[in-house]
Every structure is written in structure tokens, then in C-alpha cells.
Amino acid sequence: MERRVGTISRGVRCPIIREGDDIAGIVVNSVIEAAQVEGFELRDRDVVAVTESVVARAQGNYASVDAIAKDVKAKLGGETIGVIFPILSRNRFAICLRGIAKGAKKIVLMLNYPSDEVGNALVSLDQLDEAGINPYSDVLTEAKYRELFGENPHPFTGVDYITYYGDLIRSCGAEAEIILANDPRTILKYTDCVLNCDIHSRARTKRILRDAGAKCVVGLDDILTESVDGSGFNSKYGLLGSNKSTEEAVKLFPQECFEMVNDIQAQLKERTGKTIEVMVYGDGAFRDPVGKIWELADPVVSPAYTSGLEGTPNELKLKYLADNDFADLKGEELKKAIETAIRKKDGDLVGNMASQGTTPRRLTDLIGSLCDLTSGSGDKGTPIVLVQGYFDNMTD
């Protein structure tokens, strides 16, 4: 009988994972047990995805505020530090800022406006228009911002991040000065030691600052790239991708875990006979159309994945075929013509008009986004996601 279902995404429950646990074994057992209990079969080219959070937890990849402070002081001198372009987040950045502030005498905090890199707004574009402010050129002091715009608490959290970050810095014993600007070079009027906290634009920001004569430029990806007094670390991403663990510690992005995903794939092959792809996923790469928040606060969607997940989709657009190549056909004749076109499609459809409109993104970004939406970030208890049928087409 012809299959009537395409892609399926299932959240898989597993035990609470702690430091030192055999995460590969837990993932394999949980997926196989889920299939047995729920009555579905595992197939070749299924995808098993594991959230980065539990991978880092199993690795014990944590660091204290004091470890952050020590590394910041060593790399930036411990005097006046310009901290620029952080995202507005209690979970993602506030604990990092606590460590940064403890490693300096003064913090000049420079925030993007009207919103941060991932879309959290300090002020609306309409408010800027009404006030005659040009965000590309105008620099606002905290006092000027308040004069023009008053208080603008975050619509979802209710937090006024200018007040929150300023109070946090001062509570750690550092002096705080806050400005709003979008040109990285603005910070050099205040200090030549800069910690840039942007995520996806970090390389460009560093280049601009160095070309402008900054004495010291360090990114969040350069902090805790090695262990400090036994702390966790991430050699590639530093503090990027970290999350709040406690009021005095962060959980870092997981360390190299390609060995783990290959181990899971090998164990699944041994126990099921199927070649199943495996990946670690963090934030999905999607944007909320109402809140305007771009989800991707991690440096990448997937820090590790098996080789079968390399590349981008190679798909034909069914509506293009139906409206163009086979516009004179309908019913079963149309279906058979499209199935024939799919079976005969090239291995690389780049530039083919029949593929226009298909999503031009990497497989790991697409599947990771699906997994992030499936598992959620709260109490679903499904840090493992099984995706089936993703690589199928209507001929399968």
C-alpha cells in the first residue's frame, strides 16, 4: 500500500542526564525503547538528534563567574573594558556579564539599537522615526535614551535591560556607563580594550575595531577557550552558546562531540541494522514574526553531526512542475509525470528553475530547527528527537 505520511518528528523521553553519564548509551536505549513501546519501526536515513544542553551536562562543561572574571582580567587588563553588542537575555548573557564585571574596574556597555542581534528591542523603529534618530549614526547616552523614550520593558519578559544590566554591573563592584550605538568604532572614544559580544557578526566587528586602532580586541568566543582553575571550556566557541546554570555558573556549549555522534550511529547500526544519521542541535534558525526575535543565539545550529547530514536539500518544487512543465496534465497522469521527473532529477539541482523556491539552507540547520521546535525549551522532557522520512519524496 502507498504510504500516506511524509516527515514525522517525535520527541523521545529519556532519563535525566547528569555529569559523567554514558550519553551515547542513553540515547541509543531511549530511541530503541521508544520504537518498541510506541510501535514504530526505525528505518535507514532516520535522524536522531540530541540537544546540546544534555551533551554539555554529561560532559560536565560548566564554568563559574569567578573563572570568567579571571580570564577576562587576564585577556583585557582589568581596568576599563568596553563591552559591546551583547544580546538582551537573563539566560544567555547576564551571568556572563556578572563575570565580565568582576574582571574589570569599569564597564562601558554599548548596546545595539533599536534591537540586539537576535531581535530583542530596546525601542521601536516608529519611536526612532518620531524622535528623528538615525540608528546608523546617532550615539545615545543612557540619559538621552531616557529623555527620548522613557522605559521600554521587554514585551515578553517585562525586563528593562538597560536598568537590569547597569545594576548587575554595579552589584559586582564595577562602575557602569551605558551607551547605545551601532558603529563598533564608537567604543574607542571610551576605551581601547574591547570585548565584543556579538555572535554571528563577531569576525567583522573584530576586524573593524583592529583596523581602527583598538589596543585589545577579544570576543566572547575568546573567553574560556581553555580551562581556568579546572573550569569547563570550549576551545572553539568560548562563552558563545553558554546558558545560565545557577546564579554563579554557566553551562558552556558542548566540547567537540563528533566522536559521540559517530558512536551513537555505530551502536544503532549494530542493534537495529539501520544506518541512522545523528546530530547535536542547539537553537533553531528561525524568526518569530510577531516578537521579531531570531532564535539563533547559539554560534551554530549543530556543533556535530554524522557525514550523511552534510549539504543542502536537492529537491524539485512540485508546484513549479505542476504549473509549468506539466500544466496540461491532471489527475493520475500528472502524478505519474511528476514522479518520473523526481526519479530522473540530477544529483545537483543548483541553477535549475524547477528547484526555485526550495529552502536554500543546510540540512543541519533545517533539521535542527525542526528538532528545536519539537523538543521545546521547557518541561516536555524530550531532549532527543527522532525525525523520520525527512529524505523521502513522493515516489518513496
Side-chain angles (χ1 to χ4, degrees):
M1 181 180 293
E2 183 180 21
R3 282 172 53 193
R4 294 292 181 176
V5 176
T7 301
I8 299 170
S9 178
R10 289 183 172 92
V12 177
R13 292 177 177 164
C14 71
I16 301 297
I17 292 170
R18 295 293 191 188
E19 180 176 350
D21 284 349
D22 174 14
I23 191 165
I26 290 172
V27 170
V28 171
N29 288 336
S30 297
V31 170
I32 291 175
E33 288 170 6
Q36 293 170 343
V37 171
E38 301 295 336
F40 59 84
E41 294 183 1
L42 297 173
R43 301 195 294 262
D44 287 322
R45 297 223 76 189
D46 285 352
V47 180
V48 169
V50 189
T51 179
E52 59 82 20
S53 179
V54 296
V55 176
R57 191 186 305 157
Q59 291 177 344
N61 205 15
Y62 295 85
S64 69
V65 165
D66 289 339
I68 295 172
K70 187 171 182 178
D71 208 26
V72 166
K73 187 173 183 178
K75 290 175 178 174
L76 287 142
E79 297 295 324
T80 298
I81 298 174
V83 176
I84 71 171
F85 302 158
I87 63 173
L88 307 177
S89 172
R90 294 169 296 176
N91 175 48
R92 287 287 190 171
F93 186 69
I95 304 302
C96 295
L97 182 57
R98 188 181 299 278
I100 294 164
K102 291 183 73 172
K105 291 181 179 179
K106 179 178 179 179
I107 298 293
V108 181
L109 183 66
M110 191 171 93
L111 304 174
N112 305 81
Y113 78 100
S115 62
D116 70 5
E117 182 181 0
V118 296
N120 295 294
L122 288 169
V123 60
S124 71
L125 285 170
D126 289 336
Q127 287 174 295
L128 293 182
D129 292 342
E130 291 170 6
I133 296 297
N134 183 347
Y136 298 103
S137 60
D138 293 343
V139 178
L140 304 179
T141 63
E142 183 177 359
K144 187 63 175 179
Y145 169 83
R146 295 299 186 193
E147 176 190 332
L148 292 171
F149 308 116
E151 296 187 2
N152 292 275
H154 192 284
F156 294 158
T157 66
V159 174
D160 183 311
Y161 278 96
I162 291 179
T163 298
Y164 177 60
Y165 280 174
D167 289 346
L168 189 154
I169 291 167
R170 286 182 281 269
S171 73
C172 295
E175 183 182 349
E177 182 175 359
I178 299 177
I179 59 173
L180 285 72
N182 291 304
D183 185 339
R185 293 167 293 192
T186 300
I187 196 65
L188 299 180
K189 298 176 183 178
Y190 299 82
T191 178
D192 58 5
C193 291
V194 186
L195 175 60
N196 66 294
C197 303
D198 44 342
I199 306 162
H200 306 290
S201 55
R202 61 189 184 274
R204 177 176 182 267
T205 299
K206 290 178 184 179
R207 173 178 55 78
I208 290 172
L209 288 167
R210 287 168 180 152
D211 289 349
K215 174 184 174 182
C216 178
V217 181
V218 175
L220 275 188
D221 58 325
D222 300 311
I223 303 298
L224 290 187
T225 53
E226 296 179 341
S227 180
V228 174
D229 297 333
S231 74
F233 65 100
N234 190 296
S235 57
K236 187 172 184 180
Y237 297 117
L239 280 176
L240 290 180
S242 63
N243 283 272
K244 177 180 178 180
S245 174
T246 69
E247 294 299 330
E248 295 296 327
V250 294
K251 177 192 62 59
L252 301 169
F253 213 46
Q255 273 283 52
E256 290 292 339
C257 38
F258 278 94
E259 184 177 336
M260 183 201 73
V261 296
N262 288 320
D263 183 20
I264 292 172
Q265 183 180 58
Q267 290 190 42
L268 286 168
K269 178 73 172 181
E270 181 179 352
R271 293 181 60 179
T272 69
K274 307 298 182 181
T275 300
I276 295 172
E277 305 298 341
V278 183
M279 65 183 288
V280 177
Y281 69 95
D283 278 347
F286 49 83
R287 188 177 184 185
D288 170 17
V290 177
K292 312 300 183 187
I293 296 172
W294 185 35
E295 175 70 7
L296 189 54
D298 286 326
V300 291
V301 173
S302 178
Y305 47 88
T306 49
S307 60
L309 295 177
E310 286 282 1
T312 57
N314 192 59
E315 300 174 350
L316 295 171
K317 194 75 170 179
L318 296 188
K319 69 179 183 181
Y320 182 90
L321 295 175
D323 292 346
N324 291 272
D325 295 32
F326 309 122
D328 57 335
L329 304 179
K330 61 182 179 179
E332 190 64 24
E333 190 178 8
L334 173 60
K335 179 185 176 186
K336 289 182 178 179
I338 289 177
E339 287 178 346
T340 299
I342 291 172
R343 291 191 181 99
K344 291 182 177 180
K345 70 181 178 182
D346 294 334
D348 184 358
L349 293 172
V350 173
N352 188 322
M353 287 297 289
S355 69
Q356 67 176 335
T358 56
T359 308
R361 288 163 60 188
R362 294 184 304 176
L363 289 168
T364 51
D365 293 339
L366 292 164
I367 299 171
S369 298
L370 172 61
C371 293
D372 189 27
L373 288 167
T374 300
S375 63
S377 58
D379 57 7
K380 289 183 172 60
T382 55
I384 304 165
V385 176
L386 173 66
V387 179
Q388 296 189 291
Y390 192 84
F391 295 101
D392 292 354
N393 58 53
M394 63 178 290
T395 68
D396 294 312

